[in-house]
Amino acid sequence: MHEVDMTKCLVLSMNEWRQQHEPSLPVVSQVHLQVGDFTCVEPEQLVHTWRIAIQNSWLAGAELKIEQIPLVARCVCCNSTYSPSADQAYQSPCCSHPMEDIVSGRELRIRSVDYSLNPELAPLSA
Ligand SMILES: [Zn+2]
């Protein structure tokens, strides 16, 4: 997946998240993202596109913090877990079985959001 498309998805997710807080306006300082090593995402590139995307938006100034999740697979022959590598064509080292069951490494999710609610921006309740 391309980082620009991914950033659009992130911003959309954040917009939905924001709607849950209406009518208060959350001020976001950090967005903690989990990115699996098997997603082919360049974290630095993602941070870069994120910064550009949020300029002049309600998210301006929010930092993207990326936690990388290692690729772990489970061997379907013997049920042991292993760290697949491209050098070994992602086969299991125990049984040389092709990678079928990925335990982790494909994550792309917002884990948490650091924010504060600015009461001055919230409209008075009727
Ligand atoms: Zn095995």
Side-chain angles (χ1 to χ4, degrees), residues 10-91:
L10 273 177
V11 171
L12 280 177
S13 299
M14 288 304 295
N15 286 342
E16 283 174 18
W17 175 86
R18 177 194 185 185
Q19 284 168 6
Q20 296 168 14
H21 291 275
E22 285 180 345
S24 297
L25 183 65
V27 180
V28 176
S29 56
Q30 290 187 342
V31 177
H32 298 270
L33 192 69
Q34 289 185 317
V35 176
D37 279 346
F38 204 55
T39 55
C40 302
V41 171
E42 280 293 331
E44 284 180 21
Q45 182 65 29
L46 188 58
V47 167
H48 180 68
T49 53
W50 166 262
R51 283 183 183 151
I52 293 170
I54 63 172
Q55 282 174 358
N56 305 317
S57 81
W58 69 279
L59 283 165
E63 268 190 88
L64 196 61
K65 295 286 183 184
I66 294 177
E67 176 193 352
Q68 286 189 267
I69 310 293
L71 175 60
V72 176
R74 186 184 307 279
C75 176
V76 294
C77 294
C78 68
N79 210 34
S80 64
T81 55
Y82 63 100
S83 301
S85 77
D87 295 343
Q88 288 148 19
Y90 301 104
Q91 290 180 345

